[in-house]
Amino acid sequence: MASIYRRKGTTGRYRVKFRDPGGAWRDVLGYIDARASKEMGRKLEQLAAIRAAGETPEPELSRFVRGLPAKLQEKLARWGLLDGAAYAGTKPLTQHLDDYKKALLAGVASRRQNGPATDKHAELVHNRVETLLNGIDATVLADVRVEQVGDYLAKRRTNGLSAQSSNHYLRSCKAFLSWMVRTGRATTNSLANVAPMQVTPKLRKHVRRPLEHDEAATLLQTTRTGSTCEGMPAEERYWLYRIALETALRSSELRALTRQHFELDDAEPFVWLPGDDTKNRKGAELPLRTETVVELRTFLVDKHPKTAVFPKMPAKHHISRMIRADLEAAEIEYSTDSGVVDFHALRGTCLSWLADAGTPLKVLQDFARHSDPKLTMNVYARTLRGSLAGAARRLPDLAGLAVSLAKATGTDHIRALQTTPKTTPNGAQSRAPACADLRTEPDACHDIGTSKKPLEKQCGTRTNAHSDAPDERRRRDSNPRDDCSPNGFQDRRLQPLGHSSKSCRTRHRAKARSSTVSSNDRSNGCVQISAYRKPVWEGVRCNTRVADGPCRSKSGRRLHSIDGTDERRYGARHVYAAALTLQAVPSRTSASRPTAASTTVGVRRRLGHRNRDR
């Protein structure tokens, strides 16, 4: 139960003692009136009990809390008697913003913050958020609404604010509200789902362009022979521009360079900077060209190790005027349709040169010290003059490639045959059927298949596509053909499907010898074996050559037919057998040809065990 008391020897306001939701005793300053102080203690204990039970205070109790002094409300929020978010909602946003700036300087403003922020960055973020809050007349957290923020930024863009700057204002405000949610000062971030604008080159207000190789050489030569500009001598400006073009250092990083940052005696000379002098707060080591190191020794010979290399470098707003004057002296346009050339454009020039030279993306990102490769390629690396034309010249010659492929496959003469007209006796022109027609259209070669003339004379050309081709072309052919068969298909050698045991072969030969083939069946183009009764009609595509003696498989084994008439044996078992009557085709390799009756080829497939025929 709450109690009130006065310290001994004092008069004036009572002190109120009560327990917080955790059970700890707390002491606050009450009123001069004892009755009012007791009522205050009773309500504070009632508020602690409601908070411990997780319930919502009644309106009368909420009005009592809002009437308490701000410092007392802050104490009650720390002790758990008040909701932190509800208490923060009544606190002015300017006070929260000052606390956020302190968190930035301490390095605890966000989880992604890499160490304490600089005074410049913290002040920049503070000014952006303050400007946005003043623009929408927001004094407390409840005044920050999505509609008002969107209208304010759209109005600023109409008055000349770039899309990139508009995104900076939005991101700073979103980060501020996220910090309030993380610290318990707010329950939700009202701008969490607001997406930034898509920044395209057309929406950019300040687009930079890279210098071409000849423009950079002209700028350096003109600057070195010029006079002092903006208080900086010509020789220092020359080395300032050259180091920026070869290392992609920013102006603030070049300003922090001293003599001790150049390691010129190393096996691989480089320039380095500590994390305190870089933008991302990480140390940097950038290599130097050998030719640059030789000339740089002379420029740094009189420099003290801890003395700035460019002590007379102009301020940030004056350095743009300095390079613009040097560009005018070199007769280089400052602003073109591609963009402008300011001092920061030298950094983009270096990265554009590296990208044009074919530097891998990861190496280019590390050289630029960017956290996102999209920033490197979409903003800094630009296309140089003539790069697109050079890329088009590296495309393959498709016309020449087609001719090479035709020669490699041995089909170049077929193209000429198909396109060469033939004169008939009556003066008309017609095209003779080519060998390609024999492979694709069997009906077109019907007369050729029944004629007694050699196939070479009927086609008007040699049927062997590789007979007059060199060995190099023969080796390139992935599927060589030997002859064109009368039935319109390419003959291919019979490939073995398997082998059967000796006892099975003997039994199959006996059945084949006992089978009778009638002349009627042979005249109809069908040969049936009594053991299997599986007909195969003449004219069906056959992937085997007519028997011209012992035929061998790829492995060198001899292949035999089941009847043993032509001394070929083809292993199979328990699946099917087929016989096909084929007409004999004249062969250049063998003078003796079997008859139609002896060209019965049996095809059988084995499913059982495989015993190799030795």
Side-chain angles (χ1 to χ4, degrees):
M1 183 177 179
S3 61
I4 60 174
Y5 68 94
R6 280 180 179 171
R7 294 178 180 176
K8 294 182 178 181
T10 61
T11 59
R13 302 170 63 177
Y14 286 90
R15 299 194 67 86
V16 181
K17 191 175 182 181
F18 64 98
R19 289 183 181 271
D20 62 7
W25 285 101
R26 301 296 180 180
D27 191 349
V28 296
L29 190 62
Y31 302 102
I32 297 178
D33 185 28
R35 185 178 298 178
S37 299
K38 288 182 179 180
E39 183 65 19
M40 178 181 177
R42 184 183 67 81
K43 289 184 178 181
L44 290 176
E45 279 202 344
Q46 184 180 359
L47 181 62
I50 291 176
R51 290 290 297 170
E55 299 177 357
T56 304
E58 297 179 356
E60 182 181 357
L61 190 58
S62 300
R63 287 193 296 268
F64 163 75
V65 173
R66 286 196 296 268
L68 296 176
K71 291 185 178 180
L72 182 56
Q73 291 185 24
E74 186 178 356
K75 286 184 178 181
L76 296 179
R78 290 200 307 265
W79 294 340
L81 275 77
L82 294 180
D83 185 8
Y87 164 70
T90 60
K91 186 177 179 180
L93 285 175
T94 54
Q95 299 182 14
H96 295 298
L97 189 57
D98 294 338
D99 296 340
Y100 178 61
K101 182 179 179 180
K102 295 177 181 178
L104 285 173
L105 296 174
V108 294
S110 65
R111 298 175 182 175
R112 298 178 56 185
Q113 188 173 359
N114 187 16
T118 60
D119 296 340
K120 178 181 177 182
H121 178 70
E123 187 67 24
L124 178 63
V125 173
H126 181 274
N127 292 339
R128 285 174 177 171
V129 178
E130 186 177 17
T131 302
L132 180 58
L133 295 179
N134 294 336
I136 61 176
D137 297 330
T139 56
V140 293
L141 184 61
D143 297 335
V144 181
R145 292 190 293 271
V146 178
E147 296 80 6
Q148 293 184 351
V149 173
D151 295 342
Y152 170 76
L153 293 178
K155 185 178 179 180
R156 288 287 306 273
R157 289 193 298 269
T158 305
N159 296 333
L161 185 69
S162 65
Q164 186 71 16
S165 299
S166 176
N167 291 340
H168 288 326
Y169 279 96
L170 179 60
R171 290 193 183 99
S172 299
C173 192
K174 288 173 66 175
F176 167 64
L177 296 180
S178 298
W179 169 79
M180 291 189 63
V181 173
R182 189 167 50 256
T183 54
R185 300 170 184 244
T187 55
T188 58
N189 183 357
S190 58
L191 302 179
N193 297 327
V194 179
M197 292 188 62
Q198 186 69 25
V199 181
T200 60
K202 293 183 179 180
L203 295 179
R204 288 184 177 274
K205 186 178 179 180
H206 195 73
V207 180
R208 299 179 176 91
R209 72 172 182 91
L211 289 173
E212 301 292 338
H213 296 171
D214 54 346
E215 292 178 336
T218 304
L219 174 63
L220 293 178
Q221 182 179 3
T222 306
T223 302
R224 197 168 198 176
T225 58
S227 58
T228 303
C229 181
E230 295 292 335
M232 192 171 186
E235 186 69 15
E236 288 190 9
R237 297 201 317 275
Y238 166 81
W239 280 109
L240 178 67
Y241 298 156
R242 183 170 178 179
I243 293 176
L245 287 170
E246 295 183 2
T247 60
L249 288 174
R250 302 175 178 89
S251 60
S252 60
E253 297 169 344
L254 291 168
R255 197 185 307 274
L257 283 178
T258 61
R259 174 61 183 86
Q260 63 182 359
H261 292 151
F262 290 87
E263 299 293 341
L264 305 181
D265 298 330
D266 196 81
E268 295 182 356
F270 64 94
V271 57
W272 63 276
L273 278 173
D276 296 338
D277 297 331
T278 59
K279 184 178 179 180
N280 58 0
R281 297 304 174 202
K282 297 180 181 179
E285 290 185 4
L286 299 172
L288 296 174
R289 300 179 70 253
T290 305
E291 298 80 1
T292 304
V293 171
V294 175
E295 300 181 27
L296 196 58
R297 293 180 186 275
T298 306
F299 174 69
L300 299 176
V301 64
D302 297 333
K303 300 288 183 180
H304 190 270
K306 295 185 179 181
T307 303
V309 177
F310 306 108
K312 298 182 179 180
M313 186 175 176
K316 177 181 178 181
H317 302 289
H318 295 171
I319 194 172
S320 297
R321 294 190 304 183
M322 181 183 70
I323 190 174
R324 189 165 185 173
D326 291 332
L327 289 172
E328 292 179 358
E331 298 182 355
I332 299 175
E333 296 184 6
Y334 171 77
S335 178
T336 61
D337 296 337
S338 302
V340 299
V341 180
D342 56 3
F343 190 84
H344 199 67
L346 302 181
R347 174 175 168 84
T349 300
C350 176
L351 300 179
S352 299
W353 289 354
L354 293 176
D356 186 69
T359 305
L361 178 57
K362 180 58 180 176
V363 178
L364 190 62
Q365 177 189 353
D366 293 343
F367 195 92
R369 292 168 288 133
H370 287 156
S371 59
D372 190 357
K374 295 181 180 179
L375 177 64
T376 307
M377 301 305 297
N378 296 340
V379 178
Y380 284 88
R382 305 288 297 276
T383 303
L384 298 177
R385 183 180 57 209
S387 299
L388 295 179
R393 286 192 296 269
R394 288 192 290 268
L395 291 174
D397 184 8
L398 299 181
L401 184 61
V403 174
S404 302
L405 290 176
K407 291 182 178 180
T409 56
T411 57
D412 50 342
H413 72 287
I414 296 177
R415 180 187 304 174
L417 178 62
Q418 293 176 346
T419 57
T420 303
K422 182 178 180 180
T423 305
T424 59
N426 56 4
Q429 291 184 352
S430 63
R431 189 172 63 89
C435 294
D437 299 330
L438 298 179
R439 301 189 185 99
T440 58
E441 300 179 2
D443 295 340
C445 299
H446 176 70
D447 297 337
I448 298 177
T450 58
S451 177
K452 296 182 179 180
K453 295 181 179 181
L455 192 60
E456 295 86 346
K457 296 181 179 180
Q458 299 176 43
C459 293
T461 182
R462 299 176 62 89
T463 58
N464 188 359
H466 302 278
S467 58
D468 57 349
D471 294 341
E472 181 65 23
R473 187 183 305 174
R474 182 184 298 272
R475 287 195 295 269
R476 292 180 182 176
D477 198 345
S478 60
N479 192 12
R481 270 75 169 175
D482 290 337
D483 296 318
C484 293
S485 64
N487 57 9
F489 295 95
Q490 285 287 344
D491 289 336
R492 304 187 186 183
R493 294 185 180 276
L494 181 65
Q495 302 298 331
L497 298 178
H499 301 277
S500 60
S501 62
K502 185 176 181 181
S503 59
C504 292
R505 294 196 302 271
T506 304
R507 188 163 55 254
H508 293 331
R509 287 199 191 97
K511 291 182 180 180
R513 292 190 183 96
S514 62
S515 63
T516 57
V517 180
S518 63
S519 59
N520 186 24
D521 293 337
R522 186 177 294 107
S523 61
N524 292 334
C526 175
V527 177
Q528 296 180 349
I529 301 177
S530 59
Y532 294 93
R533 314 294 294 176
K534 296 291 183 180
V536 178
W537 297 92
E538 181 177 351
V540 180
R541 181 171 180 175
C542 181
N543 289 333
T544 181
R545 178 180 296 187
V546 180
D548 56 351
C551 183
R552 295 180 180 273
S553 64
K554 289 184 177 180
S555 59
R557 301 187 184 90
R558 296 181 58 176
L559 304 178
H560 303 271
S561 65
I562 59 176
D563 56 0
T565 55
D566 55 354
E567 294 301 329
R568 297 190 305 165
R569 182 165 58 250
Y570 193 69
R573 183 180 180 186
H574 303 312
V575 181
Y576 67 89
L580 176 63
T581 302
L582 302 177
Q583 295 181 0
V585 178
S587 175
R588 298 188 301 272
T589 58
S590 176
S592 61
R593 306 298 300 177
T595 61
S598 65
T599 58
T600 303
V601 181
V603 182
R604 296 173 299 170
R605 189 172 181 178
R606 182 178 71 86
L607 290 181
H609 62 280
R610 299 181 61 180
N611 296 328
R612 296 188 176 276
D613 182 15
R614 300 299 181 184

